Amino acid sequence: MSKWPKLTIGHLYPDLLDLYGDRGNVLALEARCRWRGIETEVQRLSLGDDLDLSQIDILFLGGGSDREQSILVKDLKCREEELRRAVDEGLVVLSICGGYQLLGKYYQTGGGEKIPGLGILNLWTVAGSKRLIGNVVVEQNSPSLSEEKPQTLVGFENHSGKTYLGPDLSVLGKIQHGFGNNGEDGGEGVRYRNVFGTYLHGPLLPKNPHLADLLLQLALERRGYDHALPLLDDQLEKRAHQAILSRVLDA
Ligand code: GLN
């Protein structure tokens, strides 16, 4: 029998929230589990589907346009209480751009419409007049202790929303290049308990394998397993990470 518990990944609204390869994050989590002999199951859940969060180890929400955000918000709001409870109990969540915005209090579009969010995170987003687009390099807030692992996150952003965090929240990292949360305060993303929000598409996890492994480690710990994850041969992933760093920082 495998020493690892099976991990179940819930992919929420895969048909509506999937920009710039976001689905690749789920593929990366699956692959990194498979390479270690950890069994995974992916549940793809959309409007009206039954979601039993007690069965989910990692919940993933990708990015989407304002239009898609308004389509799904009613459905998402019905799940608010269950999601809030699960987050309090340590559910691991990765949310990108539009998905990240929806975990906050609201997203005010360029036309002035206020799309309500779940309010699970004390943050809010207001569309600016200029789109924030381009490659991003972020210095991680909690640097990795291992010199083997990159200290940065790299990705691609494209959003008009500017996100502001309440004082109780910490950013995922500091912007070295790009705009991040709002292009003003130098912050990118958020970490609250085991919830990660970020503007980084790309997809994010294949070229940031250290973040992928952090999510897996947290999910396994929540199932009571405290074995350290065996290292993988990440030469290719690190080269992809380094290629973005060089392209952006040397320019
Ligand atoms: N609609 C949001 C914005 O433009 C989210 C976009 C995205 O998910 N890339 O701010």
Side-chain angles (χ1 to χ4, degrees):
M1 210 186 83
S2 162
K3 65 175 175 164
W4 306 105
K6 178 173 130 181
L7 289 183
T8 303
I9 301 166
H11 188 172
L12 213 44
Y13 312 116
D15 48 344
L16 293 165
L17 297 180
D18 184 23
L19 287 178
Y20 317 112
D22 285 338
R23 192 176 67 95
N25 293 309
V26 174
L27 298 178
L29 290 170
E30 279 185 288
R32 297 185 73 77
C33 284
R34 188 169 61 247
W35 294 332
R36 293 174 165 118
I38 304 171
E39 192 188 339
T40 53
E41 181 195 328
V42 178
Q43 292 187 11
R44 294 183 179 82
L45 302 149
S46 196
L47 304 178
D49 290 343
D50 284 338
L51 167 67
D52 178 0
L53 283 175
S54 67
Q55 301 302 311
I56 302 291
D57 295 291
I58 302 179
L59 190 69
F60 175 70
L61 289 113
S65 68
D66 296 5
R67 183 179 158 272
E68 281 137 0
Q69 286 172 286
S70 352
I71 291 173
L72 64 83
V73 72
K74 199 164 146 224
D75 185 90
L76 188 64
K77 284 296 264 182
C78 296
R79 308 175 192 271
E80 179 174 334
E81 219 170 291
E82 201 191 347
L83 262 159
R84 187 183 296 276
R85 202 174 324 116
V87 164
D88 283 343
E89 286 166 10
L91 177 69
V92 178
V93 180
L94 175 63
S95 58
I96 313 281
C97 201
Y100 165 36
Q101 295 170 349
L102 286 168
L103 296 184
K105 292 179 166 172
Y106 61 84
Y107 169 53
Q108 187 176 307
T109 67
E113 184 204 351
K114 238 182 195 177
I115 303 174
L118 291 175
I120 288 176
L121 302 179
N122 181 22
L123 57 86
W124 55 96
T125 305
V126 179
S129 50
K130 162 180 149 204
R131 287 200 79 77
L132 308 177
I133 307 175
N135 285 320
V136 186
V137 175
V138 179
E139 186 189 324
Q140 287 183 101
N141 207 4
S142 337
S144 155
L145 295 178
S146 153
E147 289 187 4
E148 292 283 290
K149 297 182 183 170
Q151 308 293 332
T152 41
L153 297 170
V154 296
F156 167 79
E157 64 185 329
N158 184 355
H159 52 110
S160 59
K162 293 177 167 194
T163 296
Y164 300 91
L165 308 191
D168 54 321
L169 291 180
S170 319
V171 293
L172 197 53
K174 278 198 296 235
I175 284 287
Q176 282 189 357
H177 181 93
F179 299 99
N181 281 340
N182 49 49
E184 294 161 15
D185 60 19
E188 203 311 294
V190 71
R191 164 120 191 231
Y192 170 74
R193 295 179 185 259
N194 289 339
V195 179
F196 296 76
T198 175
Y199 273 108
L200 303 189
H201 294 280
L204 171 71
L205 297 182
K207 50 186 180 290
N208 295 287
H210 46 307
L211 181 60
D213 281 358
L214 174 62
L215 301 179
L216 294 174
Q217 185 79 54
L218 291 169
L220 288 167
E221 280 170 11
R222 194 163 162 254
R223 290 277 172 216
Y225 276 71
D226 52 7
H227 305 278
L229 279 174
L231 292 177
L232 295 173
D233 175 6
D234 279 334
Q235 280 183 60
L236 210 56
E237 289 79 357
K238 284 183 187 157
R239 272 169 54 196
H241 187 99
Q242 191 54 48
I244 305 287
L245 283 184
S246 311
R247 189 184 306 165
V248 168
L249 300 179
D250 297 349

